[in-house]
Amino acid sequence: LVLLAAVGFKCLISIDDVYYEGIDSITLTDILYAEELGYGIKLLAIGRHVSDNDYSFKVHPTLIPLDHPLCGIHDETNAVCVYGDAVGDALLAGKGAGSEPTASAVVSDMIDLAFDIDQPRTRRNLEPNLNSVTCLPMDKSYSQFYLRLFLKDEVGALEHVTHALKESGLSVAQLVQKGVHDAQAELVIVTQSCYEYTFQSAKTALENLVVVTSLASYIRVRSRENA
């Protein structure tokens, strides 16, 4: 993402400017539930020009609509999806692993080095004049959220959950009860778009509820509205 920021935005950033997390918390249950809700789960590197000199850079697992171009990317294929207000999504995809794709990348680097020996610097793949920018903190990030939790199977438990979300300023877009196991009801919620700090506040409120036995997982959701 640091390299893509230089190529796509002409931004000079470092890895310390990027929020990142991996896929170790993703379970098969979440993958299946996401599909039922119309989403796939992908590990995305997301760069966004927010306003003026403010940018957002982050890497994390993300629910994306099944009809989104990135949802069809599998196995060793890599892809870059660029979104424009006027053109929508534009996708560049190709193999990022294997003998021939790797050899092609190595030869490309060798050609760049050869050009630099006795030619004016071409920088075929990178703009040399990069700009310093303001990288917004993660809590200013904006998205929907998928949340899976377990609560006591008792009267009024769901009302406690929805009240806690409302008090935190969080609206619900989808809510599905998946069943009851060992006197615990499994609940899946997809929120409306909100700032990261709003969701984290709501998450803390839910963790403090007596009726909530555990928060199994939460994943950010990339909807059309926050593309």
Side-chain angles (χ1 to χ4, degrees):
L1 183 55
V2 172
L3 296 176
L4 289 173
V7 174
F9 296 117
K10 315 305 180 195
C11 291
L12 179 62
I13 66 170
S14 71
I15 195 169
D16 293 332
D17 297 316
V18 179
Y19 172 87
Y20 57 92
E21 63 181 65
I23 60 173
D24 54 303
S25 63
I26 304 300
T27 68
L28 177 59
T29 298
D30 293 316
I31 293 172
L32 295 176
Y33 286 177
E35 188 171 334
E36 290 177 15
L37 293 169
Y39 296 96
I41 302 178
K42 297 292 182 181
L43 182 65
L44 299 186
I46 303 169
R48 183 168 179 254
H49 179 209
V50 180
S51 63
D52 299 325
N53 204 43
D54 294 338
Y55 290 78
S56 171
F57 298 102
K58 55 185 182 175
V59 178
H60 54 67
T62 311
L63 268 72
I64 56 177
L66 290 172
D67 62 350
H68 191 283
L70 286 175
C71 216
I73 302 300
H74 302 290
D75 304 320
E76 75 275 20
T77 303
N78 292 341
V80 175
C81 185
V82 180
Y83 178 83
D85 291 336
V87 300
D89 294 315
L91 188 75
L92 175 64
K95 291 187 177 181
S99 57
E100 292 185 357
T102 302
S104 175
V106 171
V107 172
S108 177
D109 289 343
M110 292 170 62
I111 292 173
D112 277 341
L113 291 171
F115 265 111
D116 286 347
I117 292 174
D118 60 1
Q119 300 287 334
R121 288 187 175 272
T122 60
R123 298 297 181 187
R124 296 184 310 137
N125 300 316
L126 187 62
E127 167 66 52
N129 299 314
L130 301 180
N131 304 311
S132 295
V133 299
T134 300
C135 294
L136 296 178
M138 186 59 184
D139 64 359
K140 295 292 183 66
S141 179
Y142 197 72
S143 70
Q144 293 179 262
F145 288 84
Y146 160 99
L147 175 66
R148 182 165 62 90
L149 66 156
F150 289 90
L151 60 156
K152 295 177 181 177
D153 182 30
E154 59 183 44
V155 176
L158 181 57
E159 284 76 11
H160 283 292
V161 170
T162 56
H163 179 73
L165 294 176
K166 181 180 178 181
E167 287 295 300
S168 300
L170 196 56
S171 298
V172 174
Q174 293 174 277
L175 189 152
V176 181
Q177 183 169 325
K178 301 303 295 184
V180 178
H181 317 279
D182 300 324
Q184 296 181 90
E186 186 179 23
L187 199 66
V188 172
I189 297 172
V190 177
T191 73
Q192 299 283 12
S193 296
C194 65
Y195 286 105
E196 179 83 17
Y197 65 80
T198 300
F199 174 78
Q200 294 299 336
S201 175
K203 176 174 171 288
T204 300
L206 291 175
E207 290 172 331
N208 291 330
L209 288 180
V210 175
V211 296
V212 174
T213 56
S214 69
L215 295 183
S217 61
Y218 72 91
I219 310 170
R220 295 166 187 89
V221 180
R222 190 164 178 79
S223 65
R224 293 296 185 189
E225 288 70 28
N226 54 64

